[in-house]
Amino acid sequence: MRELNMVKAINDALDVMLARDPDVLVFGEDVGYFGGVFRATEGLQAKHGIRRCFDTPIAEGGIIATAIGMGAQGLRPVPEIQFADYILPAFDQLVSEAARLRYRSGGEFWAPITVRSPYGGGIFGGQTHSQSPEAIFAHITGLKTVIPSTPYDAKGLLIAAIECDDPVIYLEPKRLYNGPFDGHHDREIGTWAGHPAAQVPEGHYTVPLGKAAVVRPGDAVTVLAYGTMVHVALAAVDETGIDAEVIDLRSIVPLDIETIVASANKTGRCVIVHEASRFGGFGGELSSLIQERCFYGLETAIERVAGWDTPYPHAFEWDYFPGPARIAAALRRVMENT
Amino acid sequence: MRELNMVKAINDALDVMLARDPDVLVFGEDVGYFGGVFRATEGLQAKHGIRRCFDTPIAEGGIIATAIGMGAQGLRPVPEIQFADYILPAFDQLVSEAARLRYRSGGEFWAPITVRSPYGGGIFGGQTHSQSPEAIFAHITGLKTVIPSTPYDAKGLLIAAIECDDPVIYLEPKRLYNGPFDGHHDREIGTWAGHPAAQVPEGHYTVPLGKAAVVRPGDAVTVLAYGTMVHVALAAVDETGIDAEVIDLRSIVPLDIETIVASANKTGRCVIVHEASRFGGFGGELSSLIQERCFYGLETAIERVAGWDTPYPHAFEWDYFPGPARIAAALRRVMENT
Amino acid sequence: MTDTLTNRAVPDAATQLDIYRRMIRIERNDDATRTQIRRGRITAPYYSARGQECIPSAISVLLNDDDKICTIYRGIHDMVAKDMPLRPLWAEICGRVDGTCKGKGGPMHLTHPETGVMVTTGIVGSSMPIANGFAWAALLDGTKQVTVAYFGDGASNIGAFHEALNLASVWKLPVIFVCQNNGFAEHTRYENGTSVDQISKRAIGYGMPGYTVDGNDPLDVYAHAHAAIERARSGEGPTLLECKTFRFMGHVFGDADGYMTKEEKAEAMADDPLPKFRQKLIDSGVATADQIDEMTAKAEAEVNDAIEFAMSCEYPSDDELRRDVFAEEIPA
Amino acid sequence: MTDTLTNRAVPDAATQLDIYRRMIRIERNDDATRTQIRRGRITAPYYSARGQECIPSAISVLLNDDDKICTIYRGIHDMVAKDMPLRPLWAEICGRVDGTCKGKGGPMHLTHPETGVMVTTGIVGSSMPIANGFAWAALLDGTKQVTVAYFGDGASNIGAFHEALNLASVWKLPVIFVCQNNGFAEHTRYENGTSVDQISKRAIGYGMPGYTVDGNDPLDVYAHAHAAIERARSGEGPTLLECKTFRFMGHVFGDADGYMTKEEKAEAMADDPLPKFRQKLIDSGVATADQIDEMTAKAEAEVNDAIEFAMSCEYPSDDELRRDVFAEEIPA
Amino acid sequence: AAAAEEAPSGASVLSPAVRRAVLEYGIDPATIKGTGKDGRITKDDVVAAAKAKSASPAPTAST
Ligand SMILES: Cc1ncc(C[n+]2csc(CCOP(=O)(O)OP(=O)(O)O)c2C)c(N)n1
Ligand SMILES: Cc1ncc(C[n+]2csc(CCOP(=O)(O)OP(=O)(O)O)c2C)c(N)n1
Ligand SMILES: [Mg+2]
Ligand SMILES: [Mg+2]
Ligand SMILES: [Mg+2]
């Protein structure tokens, strides 16, 4: 099998779907001729033609709106928003239209669009090129939100998202494009080469939405993560030597609550990790769900490790970023606190 | 003292501030000449002049952006967004600019704006005229979010918000404009007349941001609510006869965590109530905070009573709305479950 | 500075009658809606389009069922003009399961794919750029389908308008942007929100034709719509039509109208497109008064039948609450 | 169809020299920035404005310190033209506590209220409507302060542009909207994103004057900016200036430039505003080559001093992380 | 909470999991020596105590 990094895996998924389904369209700013600022759409216009893969003006609201109309007429648009921070000008279209079309038409039509967007920090992007907006999407009923953490999953989840008849926000952890970054920014940073999940099959396959992956089985404590934080959490677990069960959620809507509950009931201890700032973040939902469903199974309070409650801080990137040390400290706390 | 309904109390707060501080400006769609679709700005243009209270085109992003620039130059703009559902086209301005200006200028300037907006359901408004978007604001660091539940608080909190040097989202529960709606939509609906909190002093006073109100002291269970749900929760408590402590949060950012923790530690039982849909809603943050800080004090799992995880449903308004019966059932459950 | 049409298409007699048929169907339907609300038989905010009947009627005679429209809260006239059947329309207004959206759209979000009524938004501006998506799909499929985006004068000031027109023009999409300029956005006058004397001039900024049209004159609307639709169908791209008109009933039914003078209102209402066109049809021998009365009676009967049908329909059952959130039903 | 200026103001000799001083200060600063990045002394995405120096320079000689500018990621030239001091500018680029934003803004969000550099956004379009707020404040205070909103050609296609221009015109705000049209938005050509051949034509849709200007000719920029600023200061409202130019270094420093032909690039670069204006100043006797060389050396020295200053500054202390989120410090 | 007022020491703060365990195993938490932080009783402590209890002769095994 071939080894691909995450960008190439995403490119491959788009290529497979463009070839397989004439209704699939790929577009966005610099996506066509140039191949995307992160190269995710490289070569697709040359191969599939300018009608299937094309550039757009800078108009995020208009891009998403166009996708909605296409979708309602039966196409499967896959717009790219260059950075997740630029989704906000399109927020109205996503919330008031894309997410709600199926419901308010009584199921007559819907918006089967997949919005791809690189997100997250650790790349010196500053305030508006580093944010993790998943929580605001997770709260919008009618939207699905998917976040891969490996090349294999990136391809399989993206194909599943495109084939899904609901609007999907597909957030790509840009810090993982080239390698499984584990948060040790001060060490040499590895690539995907040699990583088992960089083995990406050719052709069509899916990773189902709503199924978490237990990426490290363990008995002592449950760690919930997604995106870049999966790798950071794994590093922290390694470094503490604690027998943690690390779960990669892969999609936060739909959420694989069964896997989460089973693990939490087994370990009685949970640490939730995300890059987004903590207050009002998705960790709150996860924590409450576990508390509601596993209350009498909990040995200690559920902890959240997250970005600080500040704007994404240009000058304090690695302080803000919930790195292995912060996660390890939380792991130790929940193991001690009984 | 005068009795005022909530709209009049808000109007009074604006009037007081326009008179008191020449930097205060009030504007929005139909706000000037017409006095606002809910009459909140009635008479203000006539009294304070067209430079201080004026109409805008339909351009929510532009309205908020203008307010940001005014604020950065030292004015205190109080824009109205006619319905909270229309805030979304301005979401980028609120998140990427208003909330972040102070941080990224290193404290050199900021956006002391107060965005007033009617929100919430129970008025047959359907999908785009009924939503409760507080959770997406609460997650944005740099924004404060305030929600009054009585005329007295509405005036005092609004003045505090205007005087606050940070951007404040001030959400007005439109269902409460004319009376303390308790969720019994099938009964005759009362007005504010005779309600103690409809006694609104003349002139300037503030209700501080970040201080919750214990609106009904009790020992058996803590109920956290804000906006319309305060009155619905009170009705449910009455009907069950349970000795609940009902706390009106009044502002969700800043959050009065001390009052919440003290009550939860006292009662060991909590029910959190909001109109917004449950998944990813603000209840998740509240529930996790209590769980984190009061873990060993909890006698039973914290419950959330909220809107269903559907779009705001035109045809099922009263099914969706977390009315007294649903809250009462939750109260009974947490009292039984030990 | 706005464009002037050189070749003016003229509707033949049958088409003129068809325009009138649509207009009177709209008018009878509007009248009945207000009556039902007044009588307390339905509770809904109602944005009457009384006075604006001519615009979608003269356009819709040029459209096929598979041509799409995207419209707004004040859009029932656009739907009725597109010959959307009234029974499912009324059932939807009443929130019944036989409504075109199973009662889940309600009066502000009516849609009916069979007649091309695809998107109705309550958020000003949002439906305009969505129209581009339908148009793209048509391009890709190689059909001649066009999409009409209806919106108000106030809506021409929100960002979505700009993005919609620019995108449509860059991509030469078969869209007709129809601004129903009734002079007010809620209670705010045109000139207090709009910086240009004619919205059609904005077309210049998008390299597309823009026309200001008498929205109360069916022949003027028809001629311009004809040109725009021809242009769209032949792959040349979008057009902006500004149709000047007036809303007789104010913004929302029940509105006070203190924001204009009595004279101003009376003058605008004197240009009622319905009696004017009726008279014209009779004068020009296209139809007799009897024929028109018959047409009116027929429309009225259809409306009454739809109302009674709607009132007899069931409300959607509780399980519907959790259906259509996603493709799969969500758990209770 | 775009407007033509009748009364062209001409800068006197001293002003011309001042324009050149600003241009060379920008150019030396830009050159040094690229050198520092190349040498690995700073890590930051850098959006060079090499080639666009003339635009803000010819405008800024007409502005006072209390006139405001709102600009974008590609905006350091606009700041330097506004005579923002280079030490705090560089300290900010390097993320140091002596930076103009205590290191918390970083290279994409530089601001400096003392010289009127108020808003710099990374989100395309967002700063344009914010400019209106400064202008409103000026109206209210009865000052003659104007605000300049700088943006790119690509930015003229996003909704914020439309709302900004419409609002400014409806309210007759003292704003000058300056589009620095360099022919590309990232790697996408003008015509693939923009539906009109001249962005200045969009002014028609907002009832304001719009001019297309040679952005590489200081006298042309000056003349039009002069008219626009006069108009703004006298309460007549906003103007749209489209200044045609070219970005020599591509979108972001380090960019491949495969998206244009070598000839196209060479031709654009041949119109370098700097040597052209230098020669003109010498030819017309405004300055000698020596004077200009001295000016250049001075600019270079200032830049070098600023860089060494910045490198010697401390990084902000950890407590700064939690300051300036709100007026009050947040708890750790 | 009610439990907090009764016993002092480690037995006073029982996590929900421990509370359920003592109920299931029918063990009085006051009889258990906690090994957790600040002498807190862990679920393992309860399980160990239960094992010890069943290992000792059954109190009344009337067959
Ligand atoms: C984004 C947004 N802002 C505000 C509103 C409230 N609103 C509803 S209709 C309306 C006026 C629209 O005027 P116009 O576009 O002229 O259409 P008309 O109602 O006159 O047909 C406004 C401001 C809204 N629905 N959406
Ligand atoms: C809303 C938004 N969309 C996309 C981007 C990414 N982006 C950054 S610069 C740029 C091109 C802007 O082009 P133009 O306005 O012509 O300015 P220039 O860079 O040429 O000076 C784009 C698309 C962004 N920053 N914000
Ligand atoms: Mg899909
Ligand atoms: Mg109107
Ligand atoms: Mg450009």
Side-chain angles (χ1 to χ4, degrees), chain D residues 186-239:
Chain D
E186 292 198 343
H187 318 282
T188 298
R189 276 173 192 285
Y190 177 89
E191 58 273 21
N192 291 342
T194 315
S195 54
V196 66
D197 57 345
Q198 292 186 311
I199 287 170
S200 61
K201 287 188 185 166
R202 292 193 168 158
I204 297 165
Y206 310 108
M208 68 170 80
Y211 302 101
T212 297
V213 175
D214 180 350
N216 298 337
D217 176 354
L219 303 193
D220 204 34
V221 175
Y222 180 91
H224 288 87
H226 190 274
I229 292 168
E230 280 298 289
R231 179 176 148 86
R233 292 208 203 278
S234 66
E236 288 166 68
T239 300

Side-chain angles (χ1 to χ4, degrees), chain D residues 91-208:
Chain D
E92 190 60 35
I93 288 176
C94 299
R96 309 301 166 104
V97 70
D98 303 86
T100 173
C101 310
K102 299 196 226 159
K104 294 161 81 166
M108 205 177 293
H109 299 294
L110 292 155
T111 46
H112 189 255
E114 295 84 346
T115 52
V117 179
M118 291 305 287
V119 174
T120 308
T121 52
I123 304 294
V124 164
S126 299
S127 57
M128 281 184 260
I130 296 178
N132 289 340
F134 294 105
W136 238 105
L139 271 198
L140 204 69
D141 294 348
T143 70
K144 295 271 171 213
Q145 171 197 311
V146 303
T147 302
V148 178
Y150 290 112
F151 56 98
D153 47 299
S156 79
N157 298 317
I158 200 163
F161 165 91
H162 180 67
E163 297 188 2
L165 272 77
N166 184 57
L167 284 165
S169 182
V170 165
W171 293 332
K172 290 197 180 310
L173 297 179
V175 184
I176 300 96
F177 293 100
V178 179
C179 178
Q180 304 195 19
N181 180 353
N182 56 22
F184 287 89
E186 292 198 343
H187 318 282
T188 298
R189 276 173 192 285
Y190 177 89
E191 58 273 21
N192 291 342
T194 315
S195 54
V196 66
D197 57 345
Q198 292 186 311
I199 287 170
S200 61
K201 287 188 185 166
R202 292 193 168 158
I204 297 165
Y206 310 108
M208 68 170 80

Side-chain angles (χ1 to χ4, degrees), chain C residues 104-117:
Chain C
K104 294 162 82 166
M108 205 177 294
H109 299 293
L110 292 155
T111 47
H112 190 255
E114 295 84 346
T115 52
V117 179

Side-chain angles (χ1 to χ4, degrees), chain D:
Chain D
M1 201 137 55
T2 183
D3 294 294
T4 315
L5 200 61
T6 44
N7 261 322
R8 294 180 66 97
V10 180
D12 61 20
T15 305
Q16 289 190 35
L17 215 54
D18 192 19
I19 295 175
Y20 190 80
R21 178 186 66 76
R22 293 171 202 250
M23 286 171 68
I24 196 72
R25 193 164 172 259
I26 295 169
E27 191 276 336
R28 290 291 78 202
N29 191 66
D30 176 76
D31 189 74
T33 310
R34 287 182 281 114
T35 304
Q36 296 297 315
I37 296 175
R38 232 185 277 104
R39 293 201 186 139
R41 286 188 83 197
I42 54 174
T43 349
Y46 180 58
Y47 307 89
S48 167
R50 184 67 266 282
Q52 304 185 191
E53 294 86 353
C54 161
I55 300 163
S57 298
I59 292 171
S60 295
V61 292
L62 293 156
L63 299 176
N64 307 317
D65 274 354
D66 69 347
D67 290 324
K68 308 287 185 250
I69 70 168
C70 293
T71 184
I72 59 169
Y73 52 92
R74 193 186 317 284
I76 294 179
H77 63 312
D78 302 325
M79 301 166 199
V80 174
K82 194 82 172 45
D83 269 342
M84 174 167 167
L86 297 187
R87 282 182 160 213
L89 184 149
W90 268 94
E92 190 60 35
I93 288 176
C94 299
R96 309 301 166 104
V97 70
D98 303 86
T100 173
C101 310
K102 299 196 226 159
K104 294 161 81 166
M108 205 177 293
H109 299 294
L110 292 155
T111 46
H112 189 255
E114 295 84 346
T115 52
V117 179
M118 291 305 287
V119 174
T120 308
T121 52
I123 304 294
V124 164
S126 299
S127 57
M128 281 184 260
I130 296 178
N132 289 340
F134 294 105
W136 238 105
L139 271 198
L140 204 69
D141 294 348
T143 70
K144 295 271 171 213
Q145 171 197 311
V146 303
T147 302
V148 178
Y150 290 112
F151 56 98
D153 47 299
S156 79
N157 298 317
I158 200 163
F161 165 91
H162 180 67
E163 297 188 2
L165 272 77
N166 184 57
L167 284 165
S169 182
V170 165
W171 293 332
K172 290 197 180 310
L173 297 179
V175 184
I176 300 96
F177 293 100
V178 179
C179 178
Q180 304 195 19
N181 180 353
N182 56 22
F184 287 89
E186 292 198 343
H187 318 282
T188 298
R189 276 173 192 285
Y190 177 89
E191 58 273 21
N192 291 342
T194 315
S195 54
V196 66
D197 57 345
Q198 292 186 311
I199 287 170
S200 61
K201 287 188 185 166
R202 292 193 168 158
I204 297 165
Y206 310 108
M208 68 170 80
Y211 302 101
T212 297
V213 175
D214 180 350
N216 298 337
D217 176 354
L219 303 193
D220 204 34
V221 175
Y222 180 91
H224 288 87
H226 190 274
I229 292 168
E230 280 298 289
R231 179 176 148 86
R233 292 208 203 278
S234 66
E236 288 166 68
T239 300
L240 172 61
L241 296 185
E242 175 192 19
C243 303
K244 300 195 85 163
T245 185
F246 187 71
R247 31 159 236 212
F248 284 22
M249 302 293 155
H251 175 58
V252 64
F253 182 60
D255 239 11
D257 56 5
Y259 47 87
M260 60 180 123
T261 64
K262 286 214 160 36
E263 296 70 43
E264 197 183 357
K265 188 169 173 181
E267 195 188 317
M269 289 180 67
D271 193 32
D272 190 335
L274 266 150
K276 218 173 50 174
F277 194 42
R278 180 179 192 278
Q279 200 54 50
K280 190 165 184 169
L281 291 175
I282 295 170
D283 291 351
S284 62
V286 168
T288 64
D290 281 354
Q291 277 177 305
I292 288 180
D293 291 346
E294 198 181 310
M295 204 181 245
T296 308
K298 209 172 140 196
E300 197 165 302
E302 190 194 355
V303 170
N304 289 336
D305 161 76
I307 295 172
E308 295 321 312
F309 168 79
M311 298 287 176
S312 74
C313 293
E314 299 285 316
Y315 287 96
S317 71
D318 282 2
D319 345 327
E320 277 298 336
L321 173 62
R322 284 175 187 79
R323 271 183 210 142
D324 304 321
V325 178
F326 292 115
E328 61 278 9
E329 197 165 327
I330 58 167

Side-chain angles (χ1 to χ4, degrees), chain C residues 167-182:
Chain C
L167 284 165
S169 180
V170 165
W171 293 333
K172 290 199 180 309
L173 297 179
V175 184
I176 300 96
F177 293 100
V178 178
C179 177
Q180 305 194 20
N181 179 354
N182 56 23

Side-chain angles (χ1 to χ4, degrees), chain C residues 40-228:
Chain C
R41 286 189 81 197
I42 54 175
T43 349
Y46 180 58
Y47 307 90
S48 167
R50 184 68 265 281
Q52 305 185 190
E53 294 87 354
C54 160
I55 300 163
S57 298
I59 292 172
S60 294
V61 291
L62 292 155
L63 299 175
N64 307 315
D65 274 354
D66 69 347
D67 291 323
K68 308 287 185 249
I69 69 169
C70 293
T71 186
I72 59 170
Y73 51 92
R74 192 186 318 284
I76 293 179
H77 63 312
D78 302 325
M79 302 167 198
V80 173
K82 194 80 172 45
D83 268 342
M84 176 168 166
L86 297 186
R87 281 182 160 211
L89 185 150
W90 268 94
E92 191 60 36
I93 288 175
C94 299
R96 310 301 166 103
V97 71
D98 302 270
T100 171
C101 310
K102 298 196 224 158
K104 294 162 82 166
M108 205 177 294
H109 299 293
L110 292 155
T111 47
H112 190 255
E114 295 84 346
T115 52
V117 179
M118 291 306 286
V119 174
T120 307
T121 53
I123 305 293
V124 164
S126 299
S127 57
M128 282 183 259
I130 297 177
N132 288 340
F134 294 105
W136 238 104
L139 272 197
L140 202 71
D141 294 348
T143 69
K144 296 271 171 211
Q145 171 198 310
V146 303
T147 302
V148 178
Y150 291 113
F151 56 98
D153 46 299
S156 78
N157 298 318
I158 198 162
F161 165 90
H162 180 65
E163 298 189 2
L165 271 76
N166 184 56
L167 284 165
S169 180
V170 165
W171 293 333
K172 290 199 180 309
L173 297 179
V175 184
I176 300 96
F177 293 100
V178 178
C179 177
Q180 305 194 20
N181 179 354
N182 56 23
F184 286 89
E186 293 197 344
H187 317 282
T188 298
R189 276 175 191 284
Y190 177 89
E191 58 273 22
N192 290 342
T194 314
S195 54
V196 68
D197 57 345
Q198 293 187 308
I199 287 170
S200 61
K201 287 188 186 167
R202 292 193 167 157
I204 297 165
Y206 311 107
M208 68 170 82
Y211 302 100
T212 297
V213 175
D214 180 350
N216 297 337
D217 176 355
L219 302 193
D220 203 33
V221 175
Y222 180 90
H224 288 87
H226 190 275

